[in-house]
Structures are given as structure tokens and as C-alpha cells.
Amino acid sequence: MAWTQQEVRELKEGRYMLIEEEPCRIISIQTSKPGKHGEAKARIDAVGLFDGGKRSVVFPVKHKVLVPMIGKRQAQVLSMTDVEVQLMDLETYETFSLPIDAEMKGQLSPGAEVQYLDAMGKRRITRT
């Protein structure tokens, strides 16, 4: 299981949730007061971790949403090409390849250690 459930009222800014099957970091949450015949609603603005897309959703505050289990792990750079980098996880010694982001191109070198996110079967380098 790569996710858990939480009610919308338990979410906070800076935490994560799934929107359209994409792990997203919550930027802002605004709640409205309950109406005469309704219940309070929350508007959530978030940014996708892997695609960078902005998303907005509106849910009742008692609605349950999916929260992804996000792992922050360390890896060592084994080799590089112009478009991808081969990494080895420092705990499990698993090797895998990831595409290089434009802002990471000059910072990576073989033998360096990097931190990467692992969520919902997707991975992305976050810092060197």
C-alpha cells in the first residue's frame, strides 16, 4: 500500500495528498463556513511533485482523501549521460536510471550523493 487515508480537515499546508492519481504538495487550504443546509468546504491548491502542474480541488471537510507515502532516500551517482543518470540506493543497493532535470545538470557528477523522492512508483532527484 503506497497511500493512507485522512480527512480533509486534518491536512495542513506543506503536506502531501493525491489529486488525479498524482502525488501533490499542498500550497494553500481555505475553508468556508457551513451553510444553512450544507457543510463546511475546503478549497485546496497543490502542485504535482513529478509533473509540476498546479491543481485545485474542493471537498467537504469530512471527506476522506488519499495521502501518499513519500520516501526521501539517499543514492550515489554511478554514471551519467546527457539526458539521464544512473543511481544506486545507499540502503538497498538497487540501481536505477532517472532523467536529469535542467537545473540539476551542472550539479551532478559520478560518485556524488543525491537525495531523491520515491512515491507511488515514481522517483525524482530533489537535491545533491
Side-chain angles (χ1 to χ4, degrees):
M1 180 166 77
W3 49 264
T4 60
Q5 285 188 338
Q6 264 188 331
E7 285 189 4
V8 172
R9 66 178 165 207
E10 297 170 349
L11 295 174
K12 293 184 168 67
E13 292 179 11
R15 294 208 181 150
Y16 303 97
M17 70 179 286
L18 281 180
I19 301 175
E20 300 167 1
E21 300 296 320
E22 178 73 23
C24 299
R25 184 179 331 111
I26 298 171
I27 297 173
S28 67
I29 300 175
Q30 295 116 16
T31 56
S32 64
K33 293 183 179 181
K36 185 175 180 182
H37 299 289
E39 58 182 297
K41 303 251 189 312
R43 177 188 169 90
I44 301 170
D45 295 322
V47 174
L49 288 179
F50 299 107
D51 63 359
K54 260 189 131 176
R55 294 172 170 82
S56 294
V57 291
V58 177
F59 290 121
V61 293
K62 292 183 181 177
H63 184 76
K64 291 194 184 246
V65 294
L66 301 178
V67 177
M69 305 291 274
I70 296 179
K72 293 180 183 175
R73 310 190 74 166
Q74 297 286 331
Q76 182 179 10
V77 178
L78 296 178
S79 65
M80 291 177 51
T81 64
D82 289 338
V83 292
E84 74 176 14
V85 61
Q86 185 176 18
L87 301 172
M88 177 182 67
D89 188 287
L90 292 177
E91 289 181 24
T92 63
Y93 303 109
E94 171 190 7
T95 60
F96 53 92
S97 296
L98 293 178
I100 299 176
D101 293 338
E103 65 268 3
M104 291 284 179
K105 261 192 178 171
Q107 300 175 4
L108 297 175
S109 63
E113 288 188 13
V114 296
Q115 183 181 40
Y116 71 95
L117 291 179
D118 184 14
M120 305 290 293
K122 298 178 184 177
R123 296 176 174 146
R124 188 183 121 210
I125 298 172
T126 56
R127 71 172 87 153
T128 57

